[in-house]
Amino acid sequence: MKIKMYAAALGIAAFSSGIAFANGTLDQVKGRAELLCGVGENFAGFFSPDATGKYSGFDVDFCHAVAAATLGDAAKVKFLPATPSARFPQLQSGQVDLLSRSVTDTFSRDGSLGLDFPVIMFYDGHALMVAKSLGVASGKDLDGANVCTQTGLSTEVIIADYFKSNKMTYKPVVFDSRDQALAAFESGRCDVFSSDRSTLFAYRAALKNPDNYVVLDDTISKSLNGPVVRHGDNNWEDIIRWTGYALIAAEEFGVTSKNVDEVKADPAAPAEVRRLLGVEGDFGAMLGLPNEWAYNVIKSVGNYGEIYERNLGPQGKVKIPREKTLNALWKDGGAMIAPSFQ
């Protein structure tokens, strides 16, 4: 009776999926020899398919990292795209093993959907994009504006909170898809398009005349983004969390995809690095993985900095500066930090 009452409080679908998959995701991944990773439809720099359907991007590389950790082969991933409104049911129902698509951690998502957010991999915040012809310099100049958003995102609540807190009114214009919302914005139906700042830079680049639009300096919310897993499978959550930490720690220690073999073979390497790479200790066994799981990750996809530069740096499809932001390492003034491997 208590279980049924608790399930009703959380939502039966979310609760039952947590029970069904408790402590079994790793076994399922190993059994099918493939990681099922939920991503979005198309978000340049984070997740986007090429003409052949092959996905690339920051969030895509995290999936490759998890495949390297759990299966020893970064290529053993199947990517399943979903709209914002379909992504959580996709995970809850077991269609995917994790979501890796810049999902923002919020209290209600964490507490009511039967989901867990193991690690933050990208810090962001909502911003506002307008046409330069509108002649505004700040979000506080937008009283009475029409605002385009996409349904199923936290943007709707963030926009409502922002306008209310600044004693302004607005008219929401909500669409099912990003393409519909962007088309309406570009046609002038809306004065404002709002999303995470990183998203806006990607969307702006996709417009016919991107120089006609500007992302305002206002940051109207904080967005802590990262992979998402079903609640109840503690071992799988630990694997996802420590895969993220391994990427961050490797960058801090200066271990890259190019020098990882040399560092691994160096008996004078710091003890924490040797534990990270599986040379000392039994850390992989604690997760049900080979002790070289993190070595496999770094060798295959690189460290956090390599992933960032490849997808969001100067060579990336979308260029999002990392210096002097929370996405820098903690020792460089950012928030990217990993617990000790000890």
Side-chain angles (χ1 to χ4, degrees), residues 214-256:
V214 61
V215 178
L216 300 178
D217 289 337
D218 309 69
T219 299
I220 67 175
S221 76
K222 56 181 180 289
S223 298
L224 283 65
N225 300 329
V228 191
V229 297
R230 288 178 291 272
H231 182 74
D233 189 338
N234 294 341
N235 184 62
W236 184 245
E237 182 182 0
D238 286 344
I239 289 170
I240 303 304
R241 177 185 299 111
W242 283 96
T243 297
Y245 286 153
L247 294 169
I248 296 167
E251 183 183 12
E252 178 183 344
F253 296 140
V255 182
T256 70

Short mmCIF file of all heavy atoms in Angstrom, two decimals, residues 214-256:
data_model
loop_
_atom_site.label_atom_id
_atom_site.label_comp_id
_atom_site.label_asym_id
_atom_site.label_seq_id
_atom_site.Cartn_x
_atom_site.Cartn_y
_atom_site.Cartn_z
N VAL A 214 20.84 40.01 -32.56
CA VAL A 214 21.81 40.13 -31.48
C VAL A 214 21.30 39.39 -30.25
O VAL A 214 20.09 39.38 -29.97
CB VAL A 214 22.05 41.62 -31.14
CG1 VAL A 214 20.77 42.31 -30.67
CG2 VAL A 214 23.15 41.76 -30.08
N VAL A 215 22.21 38.73 -29.55
CA VAL A 215 21.90 38.11 -28.26
C VAL A 215 22.23 39.14 -27.18
O VAL A 215 23.38 39.57 -27.05
CB VAL A 215 22.71 36.82 -28.04
CG1 VAL A 215 22.40 36.22 -26.67
CG2 VAL A 215 22.41 35.80 -29.14
N LEU A 216 21.22 39.58 -26.45
CA LEU A 216 21.42 40.61 -25.44
C LEU A 216 22.31 40.11 -24.31
O LEU A 216 22.42 38.90 -24.06
CB LEU A 216 20.06 41.06 -24.88
CG LEU A 216 19.07 41.64 -25.89
CD1 LEU A 216 17.75 41.99 -25.20
CD2 LEU A 216 19.66 42.88 -26.57
N ASP A 217 22.96 41.05 -23.62
CA ASP A 217 23.89 40.69 -22.55
C ASP A 217 23.19 40.11 -21.33
O ASP A 217 23.83 39.43 -20.52
CB ASP A 217 24.71 41.92 -22.13
CG ASP A 217 25.71 42.35 -23.19
OD1 ASP A 217 26.08 41.50 -24.02
OD2 ASP A 217 26.11 43.53 -23.18
N ASP A 218 21.90 40.39 -21.17
CA ASP A 218 21.18 39.90 -19.99
C ASP A 218 21.24 38.38 -19.89
O ASP A 218 20.99 37.67 -20.86
CB ASP A 218 19.70 40.30 -20.07
CG ASP A 218 19.48 41.77 -20.36
OD1 ASP A 218 19.80 42.19 -21.50
OD2 ASP A 218 18.99 42.46 -19.48
N THR A 219 21.59 37.88 -18.71
CA THR A 219 21.45 36.46 -18.40
C THR A 219 20.34 36.37 -17.38
O THR A 219 20.48 36.84 -16.24
CB THR A 219 22.76 35.87 -17.85
OG1 THR A 219 23.79 36.01 -18.84
CG2 THR A 219 22.59 34.40 -17.52
N ILE A 220 19.22 35.77 -17.76
CA ILE A 220 18.01 35.87 -16.94
C ILE A 220 17.76 34.63 -16.08
O ILE A 220 16.77 34.57 -15.36
CB ILE A 220 16.78 36.16 -17.82
CG1 ILE A 220 16.47 34.98 -18.74
CG2 ILE A 220 17.02 37.42 -18.65
CD1 ILE A 220 15.19 35.17 -19.55
N SER A 221 18.65 33.65 -16.16
CA SER A 221 18.53 32.47 -15.31
C SER A 221 19.86 31.74 -15.29
O SER A 221 20.77 32.06 -16.05
CB SER A 221 17.44 31.51 -15.83
OG SER A 221 17.93 30.80 -16.96
N LYS A 222 19.96 30.76 -14.42
CA LYS A 222 21.12 29.86 -14.45
C LYS A 222 20.66 28.50 -14.93
O LYS A 222 19.57 28.04 -14.58
CB LYS A 222 21.78 29.75 -13.07
CG LYS A 222 20.86 29.31 -11.94
CD LYS A 222 21.62 29.27 -10.63
CE LYS A 222 20.73 28.83 -9.48
NZ LYS A 222 19.73 29.85 -9.10
N SER A 223 21.46 27.86 -15.77
CA SER A 223 21.13 26.55 -16.31
C SER A 223 22.31 25.62 -16.09
O SER A 223 23.39 25.85 -16.65
CB SER A 223 20.81 26.64 -17.81
OG SER A 223 19.69 27.45 -18.05
N LEU A 224 22.11 24.60 -15.27
CA LEU A 224 23.14 23.60 -15.00
C LEU A 224 22.77 22.35 -15.80
O LEU A 224 21.78 21.68 -15.49
CB LEU A 224 23.22 23.29 -13.50
CG LEU A 224 23.93 24.31 -12.62
CD1 LEU A 224 23.20 25.65 -12.59
CD2 LEU A 224 24.07 23.77 -11.20
N ASN A 225 23.54 22.08 -16.84
CA ASN A 225 23.17 21.05 -17.80
C ASN A 225 24.06 19.82 -17.71
O ASN A 225 25.27 19.93 -17.45
CB ASN A 225 23.26 21.61 -19.23
CG ASN A 225 22.34 22.79 -19.43
OD1 ASN A 225 21.28 22.89 -18.83
ND2 ASN A 225 22.74 23.71 -20.29
N GLY A 226 23.47 18.67 -17.96
CA GLY A 226 24.26 17.44 -17.94
C GLY A 226 23.42 16.24 -18.31
O GLY A 226 22.23 16.35 -18.62
N PRO A 227 24.02 15.06 -18.28
CA PRO A 227 23.30 13.83 -18.60
C PRO A 227 22.25 13.50 -17.55
O PRO A 227 22.35 13.92 -16.39
CB PRO A 227 24.41 12.78 -18.63
CG PRO A 227 25.46 13.32 -17.71
CD PRO A 227 25.42 14.81 -17.90
N VAL A 228 21.26 12.72 -17.96
CA VAL A 228 20.15 12.34 -17.07
C VAL A 228 19.95 10.83 -17.14
O VAL A 228 20.03 10.24 -18.21
CB VAL A 228 18.84 13.05 -17.49
CG1 VAL A 228 17.77 12.86 -16.41
CG2 VAL A 228 19.07 14.52 -17.74
N VAL A 229 19.68 10.22 -15.98
CA VAL A 229 19.40 8.78 -15.91
C VAL A 229 18.14 8.55 -15.10
O VAL A 229 17.65 9.45 -14.42
CB VAL A 229 20.58 8.01 -15.26
CG1 VAL A 229 21.84 8.15 -16.09
CG2 VAL A 229 20.84 8.50 -13.82
N ARG A 230 17.62 7.33 -15.16
CA ARG A 230 16.46 6.97 -14.36
C ARG A 230 16.84 6.87 -12.88
O ARG A 230 17.92 6.40 -12.54
CB ARG A 230 15.87 5.63 -14.83
CG ARG A 230 15.17 5.68 -16.16
CD ARG A 230 14.66 4.30 -16.55
NE ARG A 230 15.76 3.40 -16.87
CZ ARG A 230 16.31 3.28 -18.08
NH1 ARG A 230 15.88 4.01 -19.08
NH2 ARG A 230 17.30 2.42 -18.29
N HIS A 231 15.93 7.28 -12.03
CA HIS A 231 16.14 7.17 -10.60
C HIS A 231 16.05 5.70 -10.17
O HIS A 231 15.22 4.95 -10.68
CB HIS A 231 15.08 7.98 -9.85
CG HIS A 231 15.23 7.96 -8.36
ND1 HIS A 231 16.21 8.66 -7.71
CD2 HIS A 231 14.52 7.31 -7.40
CE1 HIS A 231 16.10 8.46 -6.41
NE2 HIS A 231 15.08 7.64 -6.20
N GLY A 232 16.90 5.29 -9.25
CA GLY A 232 16.79 3.96 -8.66
C GLY A 232 17.91 3.00 -9.00
O GLY A 232 18.06 1.98 -8.34
N ASP A 233 18.70 3.31 -10.04
CA ASP A 233 19.83 2.46 -10.41
C ASP A 233 21.10 3.18 -9.98
O ASP A 233 21.73 3.89 -10.75
CB ASP A 233 19.82 2.19 -11.91
CG ASP A 233 20.83 1.12 -12.32
OD1 ASP A 233 21.79 0.90 -11.57
OD2 ASP A 233 20.66 0.52 -13.41
N ASN A 234 21.47 2.99 -8.72
CA ASN A 234 22.58 3.75 -8.15
C ASN A 234 23.91 3.46 -8.84
O ASN A 234 24.74 4.37 -9.00
CB ASN A 234 22.71 3.45 -6.65
CG ASN A 234 21.52 3.95 -5.86
OD1 ASN A 234 20.79 4.82 -6.32
ND2 ASN A 234 21.33 3.41 -4.67
N ASN A 235 24.14 2.22 -9.23
CA ASN A 235 25.40 1.88 -9.87
C ASN A 235 25.54 2.59 -11.22
O ASN A 235 26.60 3.13 -11.55
CB ASN A 235 25.52 0.37 -10.07
CG ASN A 235 26.86 -0.02 -10.64
OD1 ASN A 235 27.90 0.19 -10.03
ND2 ASN A 235 26.85 -0.60 -11.84
N TRP A 236 24.47 2.60 -11.99
CA TRP A 236 24.51 3.27 -13.29
C TRP A 236 24.70 4.78 -13.12
O TRP A 236 25.45 5.41 -13.85
CB TRP A 236 23.22 2.98 -14.06
CG TRP A 236 23.21 3.54 -15.46
CD1 TRP A 236 22.39 4.51 -15.94
CD2 TRP A 236 24.06 3.15 -16.55
NE1 TRP A 236 22.66 4.75 -17.26
CE2 TRP A 236 23.69 3.94 -17.66
CE3 TRP A 236 25.09 2.23 -16.69
CZ2 TRP A 236 24.32 3.82 -18.90
CZ3 TRP A 236 25.72 2.11 -17.92
CH2 TRP A 236 25.34 2.90 -19.01
N GLU A 237 24.04 5.34 -12.13
CA GLU A 237 24.22 6.77 -11.84
C GLU A 237 25.68 7.07 -11.49
O GLU A 237 26.25 8.07 -11.94
CB GLU A 237 23.30 7.20 -10.70
CG GLU A 237 23.39 8.69 -10.38
CD GLU A 237 22.50 9.10 -9.22
OE1 GLU A 237 21.79 8.23 -8.67
OE2 GLU A 237 22.51 10.29 -8.86
N ASP A 238 26.29 6.19 -10.69
CA ASP A 238 27.70 6.38 -10.32
C ASP A 238 28.60 6.32 -11.56
O ASP A 238 29.56 7.09 -11.68
CB ASP A 238 28.14 5.30 -9.32
CG ASP A 238 27.59 5.54 -7.93
OD1 ASP A 238 27.13 6.66 -7.65
OD2 ASP A 238 27.62 4.60 -7.11
N ILE A 239 28.31 5.41 -12.47
CA ILE A 239 29.13 5.28 -13.68
C ILE A 239 29.05 6.56 -14.51
O ILE A 239 30.08 7.06 -14.99
CB ILE A 239 28.65 4.07 -14.51
CG1 ILE A 239 29.04 2.76 -13.81
CG2 ILE A 239 29.24 4.11 -15.92
CD1 ILE A 239 28.42 1.53 -14.41
N ILE A 240 27.86 7.10 -14.68
CA ILE A 240 27.70 8.32 -15.46
C ILE A 240 28.40 9.49 -14.76
O ILE A 240 29.10 10.28 -15.40
CB ILE A 240 26.20 8.64 -15.66
CG1 ILE A 240 25.49 7.46 -16.35
CG2 ILE A 240 26.04 9.91 -16.46
CD1 ILE A 240 26.10 7.04 -17.67
N ARG A 241 28.22 9.58 -13.43
CA ARG A 241 28.85 10.67 -12.67
C ARG A 241 30.36 10.63 -12.80
O ARG A 241 31.01 11.62 -13.12
CB ARG A 241 28.44 10.58 -11.20
CG ARG A 241 29.13 11.64 -10.31
CD ARG A 241 28.79 11.44 -8.84
NE ARG A 241 27.36 11.55 -8.60
CZ ARG A 241 26.57 10.54 -8.26
NH1 ARG A 241 27.08 9.31 -8.12
NH2 ARG A 241 25.29 10.73 -8.07
N TRP A 242 30.95 9.45 -12.58
CA TRP A 242 32.40 9.36 -12.55
C TRP A 242 33.02 9.36 -13.94
O TRP A 242 34.19 9.71 -14.10
CB TRP A 242 32.85 8.16 -11.71
CG TRP A 242 32.70 8.48 -10.26
CD1 TRP A 242 31.66 8.18 -9.44
CD2 TRP A 242 33.61 9.26 -9.47
NE1 TRP A 242 31.86 8.70 -8.19
CE2 TRP A 242 33.05 9.37 -8.17
CE3 TRP A 242 34.84 9.86 -9.72
CZ2 TRP A 242 33.68 10.07 -7.14
CZ3 TRP A 242 35.47 10.55 -8.69
CH2 TRP A 242 34.89 10.64 -7.42
N THR A 243 32.24 9.06 -14.96
CA THR A 243 32.73 9.28 -16.32
C THR A 243 32.92 10.77 -16.56
O THR A 243 33.94 11.20 -17.11
CB THR A 243 31.75 8.70 -17.35
OG1 THR A 243 31.65 7.28 -17.18
CG2 THR A 243 32.21 9.00 -18.77
N GLY A 244 31.95 11.57 -16.12
CA GLY A 244 32.11 13.02 -16.22
C GLY A 244 33.29 13.53 -15.42
O GLY A 244 34.09 14.35 -15.90
N TYR A 245 33.44 13.02 -14.19
CA TYR A 245 34.55 13.46 -13.35
C TYR A 245 35.90 13.03 -13.93
O TYR A 245 36.90 13.74 -13.80
CB TYR A 245 34.39 12.89 -11.94
CG TYR A 245 33.32 13.57 -11.11
CD1 TYR A 245 32.66 12.88 -10.10
CD2 TYR A 245 32.96 14.90 -11.34
CE1 TYR A 245 31.68 13.49 -9.33
CE2 TYR A 245 31.99 15.51 -10.56
CZ TYR A 245 31.34 14.80 -9.56
OH TYR A 245 30.38 15.41 -8.80
N ALA A 246 35.94 11.86 -14.57
CA ALA A 246 37.20 11.40 -15.18
C ALA A 246 37.63 12.35 -16.28
O ALA A 246 38.83 12.65 -16.42
CB ALA A 246 37.02 9.99 -15.73
N LEU A 247 36.69 12.82 -17.08
CA LEU A 247 37.00 13.78 -18.15
C LEU A 247 37.56 15.07 -17.58
O LEU A 247 38.54 15.64 -18.09
CB LEU A 247 35.75 14.06 -18.98
CG LEU A 247 35.18 12.89 -19.78
CD1 LEU A 247 33.79 13.24 -20.32
CD2 LEU A 247 36.12 12.51 -20.92
N ILE A 248 36.94 15.56 -16.51
CA ILE A 248 37.37 16.82 -15.90
C ILE A 248 38.72 16.65 -15.21
O ILE A 248 39.63 17.48 -15.37
CB ILE A 248 36.31 17.31 -14.89
CG1 ILE A 248 35.00 17.63 -15.62
CG2 ILE A 248 36.81 18.53 -14.12
CD1 ILE A 248 33.81 17.82 -14.71
N ALA A 249 38.87 15.55 -14.45
CA ALA A 249 40.14 15.31 -13.75
C ALA A 249 41.29 15.14 -14.73
O ALA A 249 42.40 15.62 -14.48
CB ALA A 249 40.01 14.07 -12.86
N ALA A 250 41.05 14.45 -15.83
CA ALA A 250 42.11 14.24 -16.83
C ALA A 250 42.63 15.58 -17.34
O ALA A 250 43.85 15.77 -17.51
CB ALA A 250 41.59 13.39 -17.98
N GLU A 251 41.72 16.52 -17.60
CA GLU A 251 42.19 17.84 -18.06
C GLU A 251 43.00 18.53 -16.97
O GLU A 251 44.06 19.12 -17.24
CB GLU A 251 41.02 18.73 -18.45
CG GLU A 251 41.51 20.07 -18.99
CD GLU A 251 40.40 21.05 -19.34
OE1 GLU A 251 39.23 20.81 -18.97
OE2 GLU A 251 40.72 22.08 -19.97
N GLU A 252 42.54 18.45 -15.73
CA GLU A 252 43.27 19.08 -14.63
C GLU A 252 44.68 18.50 -14.50
O GLU A 252 45.65 19.24 -14.27
CB GLU A 252 42.51 18.87 -13.32
CG GLU A 252 43.24 19.46 -12.11
CD GLU A 252 42.51 19.19 -10.81
OE1 GLU A 252 41.31 18.82 -10.85
OE2 GLU A 252 43.15 19.33 -9.75
N PHE A 253 44.81 17.19 -14.69
CA PHE A 253 46.11 16.54 -14.56
C PHE A 253 46.96 16.65 -15.82
O PHE A 253 48.11 16.20 -15.84
CB PHE A 253 45.93 15.06 -14.21
CG PHE A 253 45.29 14.82 -12.87
CD1 PHE A 253 44.35 13.81 -12.72
CD2 PHE A 253 45.62 15.58 -11.77
CE1 PHE A 253 43.75 13.57 -11.49
CE2 PHE A 253 45.03 15.36 -10.54
CZ PHE A 253 44.10 14.35 -10.39
N GLY A 254 46.39 17.20 -16.89
CA GLY A 254 47.15 17.31 -18.14
C GLY A 254 47.24 16.01 -18.92
O GLY A 254 48.13 15.84 -19.75
N VAL A 255 46.31 15.09 -18.64
CA VAL A 255 46.29 13.81 -19.36
C VAL A 255 45.37 13.96 -20.58
O VAL A 255 44.19 14.29 -20.43
CB VAL A 255 45.79 12.67 -18.46
CG1 VAL A 255 45.82 11.34 -19.22
CG2 VAL A 255 46.61 12.58 -17.19
N THR A 256 45.90 13.70 -21.75
CA THR A 256 45.14 13.87 -22.99
C THR A 256 45.09 12.56 -23.77
O THR A 256 45.78 11.58 -23.42
CB THR A 256 45.80 14.94 -23.89
OG1 THR A 256 47.04 14.42 -24.40
CG2 THR A 256 46.07 16.22 -23.10
#
